[in-house]
Amino acid sequence: MKRSAAEYLADLVATGVPEHKAQADASGTMERAFPDGLPSPTNAVFILMDSALGNVGYIWIGCDSSGDPDSWWVWDIVVEAEHRGKGFGRQAMILAEGYA
């Protein structure tokens, strides 16, 4: 999830959040979502695998902050550039919907 953390930090900075605050926000978010490096009960990460290609990306989903336990959010989805346009993202979203 280091990739997600780095991208989140960059997004915060790009929106004008000072870097020190962005770093604290990103670190806090990741610590809450992945205490001890593992997804909390309200988060799930799925590695997207293809039998011929191996690991093609991942999707991270989790409960949103509304307090509704049935309301989930796609926090991050990555399909590696060389594997895009092959339906992996669509399949990941279907998986996430079913899980949530």
Side-chain angles (χ1 to χ4, degrees), residues 27-49:
S27 294
T29 295
M30 297 308 284
E31 180 57 36
R32 286 187 299 279
F34 299 94
D36 300 319
L38 300 172
S40 72
T42 58
N43 287 274
V45 176
F46 298 96
I47 305 302
L48 309 178
M49 299 292 293

